[in-house]
Amino acid sequence: MKYSLKSSFARLVLVLFFVVLALTIAGRIVTVTGAWAYCNGWFRCIPSEPLGWLKLSHIMLAGVASILMLLVFRKAWREQRNQRVLLPLTTILSVMFFGQALVGAVLVTGSSSAHLVLLHGFTTIALWVSLVLLVYCSGVLAIDVTKKVEDLDKRQRAKDFIALSKPLIVGLLLITTYGGLVIGEQAWPSFSLTMWTLIGGALAASGSSALNQYIDRELDKHMQRTAKRPLADGRLTETEGLAFGLGLSLISYYILASFVNGLAALLSLAGIIYYVILYSLWLKKATVQNIVIGGGAGAIPPMVGYAAATGYLDWTAWILFAIIFMWTPPHFWALALVRVKDYEKAGVPMMPVVRGELETRRQIFVYTIELVIVTLLLPILNLAGSVYLVSSLVLGGALIYAAWAVWKQGGNKVAWRMYKWSSTYLVFIFLAIMIDAVI
């Protein structure tokens, strides 16, 4: 395909390339000459020596590059929403550009984190590779369109992007993240730590959900429960779903790495990879054990919270992981019993599709008993107190009763009750963990 600058998007990207190149050269000169010492401040840098003008020039170039990056990003989302390469690539580049600035600012303030140093260096390389690719791809693929995104229903698009993030699931994951944070601190954590951990966690969960819907967009069309999702229904383009998911996932990593710690960021990234690649791309359609193995993705958030508070993982963190890991199969198998025809039609080998309703009901009961046993490990190992012990026994008893009803009675009504109650159970068991930790 022939490279061309006929599109306004390609021309703008080329201008961005040369400005970023000038910014990089100017930054290197400032470092080598020590010009940074002759112009104190940042936005109001006032040169005290001739060399100080070099730093001032670097600051001005950074401002111009930032504006251009925002213009390129805006133009991509307005005009290239159907371009499978350009929109995701522009989104990734934009996140890395401002992520690089964020990491650099944190390092300048005196942080000596080896993780941030490595992230800064890796981002520099990845940013330049992405920018060169965007220059080439924009000249080959970019088009000038007549119907831009502002011609569409903005309110509906906002609702669709929110739906793409699966806010109810995000909320449930944030409760478990905060539970890990509180038990790690053994007190109510500071506002700053709580805010950045939950923002990073919410973005990671939202990005994963969007990528999951991008992967499942064709499958979702065949299921009544998911047929009206934004990508399956065509209200958002496939490319928008991919770019949105990748962008949020990257932002979450930079936030957690910069404002929390490297371990929390890496765990969150592991959760994204686990859910998107291991579960969504492979396990979901490959094995009847998809939910059992894939449950590990949803079990990582409390570990993120615990790592955010402590900077390490120990038995407490792994037991929190195990609680959600064991909770996932009975929760989703109960839903699968209700939606078995959907899964069968879509070709997803869920337990009731492959092994039948009776075996699924029995497995729900077995896993529920195992779940309650796992929850008791915390007080048995003296990692939690009496408040949690009593709560886990009461809540566990109620959940076992619901699972028993599923096994012995059968029917969609009982299975749906188990599905809804298991969500409530998870919320209350983590509330008990938090209350116990601060008493």
Side-chain angles (χ1 to χ4, degrees):
M1 299 180 73
K2 187 177 179 180
Y3 181 84
S4 172
L5 291 176
K6 290 183 179 180
S7 75
S8 58
F9 181 77
R11 294 193 293 272
L12 184 60
V13 169
L14 189 62
V15 172
L16 172 66
F17 172 82
F18 285 114
V19 171
V20 173
L21 179 62
L23 174 65
T24 304
I25 294 172
R28 184 58 183 165
I29 293 174
V30 167
T31 301
V32 171
T33 61
W36 54 269
Y38 300 100
C39 194
N40 296 323
W42 181 246
F43 294 106
R44 295 184 178 181
C45 169
I46 301 176
S48 59
E49 297 287 343
L51 278 176
W53 290 98
L54 286 174
K55 182 181 176 182
L56 181 59
S57 299
H58 180 255
I59 292 173
M60 293 175 67
L61 280 171
V64 173
S66 298
I67 293 171
L68 283 171
M69 185 64 72
L70 290 173
L71 290 174
V72 168
F73 178 81
R74 179 173 179 267
K75 198 171 183 64
W77 277 89
R78 289 175 65 201
E79 302 176 5
Q80 311 299 325
R81 53 192 296 264
N82 289 301
Q83 294 290 336
R84 291 188 177 183
V85 175
L86 291 182
L87 186 60
L89 185 57
T90 302
T91 302
I92 291 171
L93 175 66
S94 301
V95 173
M96 288 195 299
F97 179 86
F98 291 106
Q100 177 79 325
L102 173 62
V103 173
V106 174
L107 288 173
V108 167
T109 60
S111 173
S112 57
S113 169
H115 181 84
L116 286 180
V117 173
L118 287 173
L119 180 59
H120 193 266
F122 177 80
T123 300
T124 300
I125 297 171
L127 192 152
W128 270 107
V129 170
S130 300
L131 183 55
V132 171
L133 282 174
L134 185 61
V135 169
Y136 173 75
C137 292
S138 63
V140 173
L141 302 173
I143 56 173
D144 286 322
V145 298
T146 54
K147 185 176 182 180
K148 300 179 182 179
V149 71
E150 61 263 31
D151 299 326
L152 305 175
D153 186 341
K154 293 181 181 179
R155 180 174 296 181
Q156 182 60 51
R157 281 177 62 79
K159 291 180 180 179
D160 288 335
F161 279 114
I162 292 173
L164 205 59
S165 69
K166 298 182 181 178
L168 292 178
I169 293 178
V170 171
L172 190 59
L173 293 176
L174 290 184
I175 290 172
T176 65
T177 303
Y178 190 59
L181 192 59
V182 173
I183 196 172
E185 285 276 355
Q186 288 294 298
W188 298 116
S190 68
F191 175 78
S192 176
L193 180 61
T194 298
M195 179 182 69
W196 291 118
T197 302
L198 295 186
I199 288 175
L203 290 171
S206 298
S208 298
S209 296
L211 292 173
N212 169 258
Q213 289 186 58
Y214 169 77
I215 293 167
D216 287 348
R217 61 194 183 278
E218 293 300 324
L219 182 151
D220 285 343
K221 294 177 182 179
H222 302 290
M223 299 177 65
Q224 182 181 356
R225 182 174 65 92
T226 58
K228 292 300 181 181
R229 284 177 173 176
L231 299 184
D233 196 41
R235 298 192 304 277
L236 295 177
T237 68
E238 299 173 3
T239 304
E240 286 176 315
L242 176 61
F244 183 71
L246 290 173
L248 292 187
S249 298
L250 266 179
I251 294 171
S252 72
Y253 190 87
Y254 281 109
I255 286 177
L256 289 172
S258 299
F259 298 115
V260 183
N261 60 53
L263 180 58
L266 289 171
L267 284 169
S268 179
L269 178 62
I272 294 171
I273 294 172
Y274 198 140
Y275 183 62
V276 173
I277 297 178
L278 187 62
Y279 173 71
S280 299
L281 279 176
W282 178 41
L283 288 171
K284 188 169 185 177
K285 291 186 177 181
T287 173
V288 69
Q289 296 296 318
N290 48 17
I291 286 299
V292 177
I293 304 172
I300 290 178
M303 300 179 76
V304 173
Y306 194 87
T310 64
Y312 59 83
L313 299 177
D314 58 16
W315 279 111
T316 302
W318 286 107
I319 292 173
L320 294 178
F321 173 92
I323 289 173
I324 300 182
F325 186 84
M326 299 305 299
W327 168 87
T328 303
H331 174 72
F332 281 101
W333 283 337
L335 174 64
L337 285 172
V338 178
R339 300 291 186 180
V340 62
K341 291 183 179 179
D342 267 359
Y343 286 114
E344 188 175 8
K345 184 179 179 181
V348 180
M350 295 294 284
M351 179 72 73
V353 175
V354 177
R355 297 186 181 173
E357 180 183 339
L358 182 60
E359 176 62 16
T360 303
R361 285 156 46 193
R362 189 184 73 83
Q363 288 292 329
I364 287 174
F365 183 67
V366 170
Y367 268 86
T368 300
I369 293 176
E370 293 173 347
L371 165 63
V372 174
I373 292 172
V374 169
T375 63
L376 296 175
L377 289 177
L378 287 173
I380 289 173
L381 297 176
N382 201 30
L383 300 174
S386 57
V387 172
Y388 172 77
L389 173 60
V390 173
S391 299
S392 60
L393 288 172
V394 172
L395 292 168
L399 191 65
I400 289 174
Y401 177 78
W404 173 268
V406 171
W407 184 26
K408 291 302 180 180
Q409 296 178 25
N412 285 353
K413 185 176 180 180
V414 176
W416 184 251
R417 187 188 306 142
M418 174 66 183
Y419 173 72
K420 300 293 287 185
W421 167 238
S422 58
S423 296
T424 305
Y425 167 85
L426 190 65
V427 171
F428 279 100
I429 199 74
F430 270 84
L431 284 175
I433 288 173
M434 288 184 267
I435 294 171
D436 186 87
V438 299
I439 292 179

